[in-house]
Amino acid sequence: MIAVDTNVLARFYCDDPNDPEAKRQRPLARRVIVESPAVFVPLTVILELEWVMRGFYEIEPESVCQAIELLLGMPHVTVERWEAVKDAIDLHRRGLDFADALHWTCSASCERFVSFDDRKLVRRARRMGLKPEIALPR
């Protein structure tokens, strides 16, 4: 099994015609992801991949979700904490920021998730009825 970094997945998913390195690296990334018998994707790579696709390449959230779901569906790819990633995708589609959703899904065994992000996280989570609760620090 080989593990991949964010840049390999970004090159696999994102065509960047203005970057000469991308032209060289994209076929290599495709070969690694498609032809390797077993690929491991760390949870931190998933978090970075969403950020790169959304923040740098300005890919729409639904397309990012679909890309990550495609990765989850590849039989030779193991995504660390895949259940948390899948649940984070679902929450992202319901309105939570992907990173916040992933932080929360990875903290599901805790009694509470605490954040100062009142408007974008705490209030939305309350409206969604998420348990464990996402709350402001007391």
Side-chain angles (χ1 to χ4, degrees):
M1 181 175 289
I2 63 164
V4 294
D5 192 6
T6 308
N7 52 25
V8 174
L9 289 176
R11 291 296 189 220
F12 177 72
Y13 283 114
C14 305
D15 187 18
D16 190 346
N18 298 321
D19 184 350
E21 281 296 297
K23 186 175 183 176
R24 185 181 66 76
Q25 291 174 348
R26 190 153 199 242
L28 298 172
R30 293 186 69 74
R31 189 173 316 129
V32 165
I33 299 302
V34 173
E35 296 178 13
S36 296
V39 176
F40 176 76
V41 182
L43 185 62
T44 51
V45 167
I46 294 294
L47 185 60
E48 280 188 340
L49 177 64
E50 186 275 338
W51 182 86
V52 167
M53 292 178 80
R54 174 186 43 80
F56 185 78
Y57 288 107
E58 299 178 344
I59 296 173
E60 292 298 317
E62 180 56 30
S63 295
V64 175
C65 290
Q66 290 173 359
I68 296 171
E69 285 176 328
L70 174 68
L71 196 63
L72 290 172
M74 293 180 176
H76 68 292
V77 174
T78 300
V79 175
E80 181 181 16
R81 303 279 316 265
W82 69 268
E83 301 96 338
V85 173
K86 183 181 178 332
D87 290 345
I89 290 169
D90 293 340
L91 288 171
H92 184 51
R93 285 185 169 131
R94 291 175 55 200
L96 284 187
D97 173 79
F98 181 78
D100 288 339
L102 189 59
H103 300 327
W104 181 80
T105 60
C106 289
S107 305
S109 64
C110 298
E111 70 179 64
R112 181 180 307 115
F113 186 88
V114 179
S115 173
F116 286 116
D117 188 353
D118 187 27
R119 291 180 190 259
K120 289 187 178 179
L121 179 57
V122 176
R123 292 181 195 189
R124 285 183 185 175
R126 276 192 197 130
R127 284 192 299 270
M128 295 168 98
L130 297 183
K131 300 290 180 202
E133 173 190 24
I134 300 177
L136 294 169
R138 299 178 196 170

